[in-house]
Amino acid sequence: MISTRLSPIAVAAAVLTLLHSPVLADLGKPVINPPIEFSKIDQGLLTYLKPAPSTVDVWGPGWIPQDCKTNTESSGFKAIDIEVFNVHYADCCDPWIMCRHKESPMSKTDLIDLFGRLPVRMRSYLRHLIALPGVKSASSSGDNTVFFGPANVISIFAHEVGHSLDSHAYPPNVTPFHESTPWLDAFKKDSSISDPYAGTSQAENVAQETVISLFDKVVPGGIKTIEPNWQAISNQYTTLQTYIGNTIIPGGVCTNRLENSPPVPMAPAVRGRVRVRLPISPMPDVSLSDGINVIPPTPIERRTIETCQLGFLL
């Protein structure tokens, strides 16, 4: 029986370990004891991270960002069933482009609110958010986050952004951070890992410690308020905090952004044997404002292989 005290990510790791134990790597450290109650992580983040004010405008018919189309179709869905919309947060001069399947149980409000609670400097390292139907899970793909089913949990949002931070947000000499000497040295000094999913790889470990580091910074009293044995993982999360700096601190405005994927036409609709050409509106402008430091994204193929290829069941 899987304990309900574990995080959604940890539940998945336990299930996958039972079903596919040879697939998952073992970092060789036990899970912290007592286990971190990730429901308290979520409660704390929701309480102390306030959503940035936002407005929304919907794309005209016929267009979809290339990454949204690629991830949608590779997951077995049709691009013509996606609604594309820009979300303008008050703390950034450029919108984020989100893509939601018409049958996704995650609403536009879910996507906008939970993503908008993350510090803007964290958000700046995510390209597109994509919500699709399916079993509750999420994955990082080319600096996009793909949500399946009702994955509307703030720690999942933070975890997935953590993968993009790993690739882009740390100083060049320690990027990717999960392969860096400071991180690996910190890992060796600690006696434990945060939960079972963190033990599947160093990339997942960094993403989970990103969630813990965020909680520790924004919730008064930090991780010590919910985990009496916090010293068992303290070298990991404090080292991450040192190198990530103010990226995980609320406030400020966006100065860096991943470039948006280009708009491409949606596939023509098919009704029976008749192909019906969709109406096409003017091509959306997805360029970023002058003064924004534009970050080249990680290719989809590389990111899918590197992290979260199994996703996590909730």
Side-chain angles (χ1 to χ4, degrees), residues 119-307:
V120 65
R121 287 177 285 250
M122 284 186 72
R123 278 184 270 133
S124 297
Y125 291 93
L126 195 68
R127 201 176 197 189
H128 304 308
L129 284 74
I130 305 161
L132 301 174
V135 176
K136 292 181 181 179
S137 58
S139 65
S140 178
S141 174
D143 297 314
N144 308 285
T145 293
V146 186
F147 299 99
F148 297 93
N152 50 333
V153 179
I154 192 168
S155 59
I156 295 176
F157 279 66
H159 175 100
E160 294 304 328
V161 173
H163 284 305
S164 289
L165 298 180
D166 187 16
S167 297
H168 301 290
Y170 293 87
N173 63 323
V174 291
T175 299
F177 191 62
H178 75 270
E179 296 177 355
S180 70
T181 297
W183 170 255
L184 296 175
D185 285 347
F187 171 76
K188 291 175 184 177
K189 292 176 183 176
D190 283 340
S191 62
S192 301
I193 54 174
S194 60
D195 70 353
Y197 198 70
T200 62
S201 71
Q202 287 294 0
E204 297 302 342
N205 194 19
V206 163
Q208 269 304 67
E209 289 293 342
T210 302
V211 179
I212 291 167
S213 296
L214 176 64
F215 179 94
D216 187 65
K217 286 293 188 182
V218 303
V219 175
I223 195 67
K224 300 175 186 178
T225 62
I226 62 169
E227 176 51 64
N229 192 25
W230 54 272
Q231 298 97 330
I233 58 171
S234 63
N235 286 292
Q236 293 167 86
Y237 72 78
T238 57
T239 298
L240 188 151
Q241 290 170 341
T242 296
Y243 282 90
I244 200 65
N246 68 358
T247 299
I248 61 172
I249 304 300
V253 296
C254 65
T255 55
N256 302 302
R257 284 290 302 272
L258 287 157
E259 63 181 356
N260 293 308
S261 63
V264 295
M266 292 181 174
V270 179
R271 298 175 184 170
R273 296 184 179 181
V274 179
R275 297 179 71 82
V276 180
R277 189 173 298 278
L278 294 176
I280 296 289
S281 58
M283 179 184 290
D285 179 7
V286 299
S287 61
L288 297 172
S289 299
D290 293 341
I292 292 290
N293 177 41
V294 180
I295 307 167
T298 303
I300 283 180
E301 294 79 6
R302 180 184 168 197
R303 170 56 59 203
T304 303
I305 291 170
E306 284 186 351
T307 62

Side-chain angles (χ1 to χ4, degrees), residues 71-151:
N71 281 287
T72 296
E73 293 182 341
S74 67
S75 300
F77 299 100
K78 296 179 180 179
I80 58 172
D81 292 327
I82 297 293
E83 180 185 27
V84 183
F85 51 98
N86 296 323
V87 181
H88 303 260
Y89 291 108
D91 50 16
C92 190
C93 56
D94 290 306
W96 276 265
I97 305 169
M98 302 186 186
C99 302
R100 179 185 175 272
H101 191 280
K102 65 182 182 181
E103 295 180 0
S104 169
M106 288 185 69
S107 68
K108 289 168 68 173
T109 299
D110 291 332
L111 291 167
I112 295 166
D113 177 84
L114 291 173
F115 188 58
R117 289 175 184 269
L118 298 180
V120 65
R121 287 177 285 250
M122 284 186 72
R123 278 184 270 133
S124 297
Y125 291 93
L126 195 68
R127 201 176 197 189
H128 304 308
L129 284 74
I130 305 161
L132 301 174
V135 176
K136 292 181 181 179
S137 58
S139 65
S140 178
S141 174
D143 297 314
N144 308 285
T145 293
V146 186
F147 299 99
F148 297 93

Side-chain angles (χ1 to χ4, degrees), residues 12-47:
V15 172
L16 290 169
T17 300
L18 290 172
L19 297 179
H20 304 288
S21 55
V23 175
L24 297 177
D26 180 6
L27 295 183
K29 289 186 185 290
V31 172
I32 193 169
N33 185 32
I36 295 172
E37 295 187 57
F38 272 78
S39 62
K40 292 183 178 179
I41 294 279
D42 291 315
Q43 291 166 10
L45 294 178
L46 288 173
T47 298

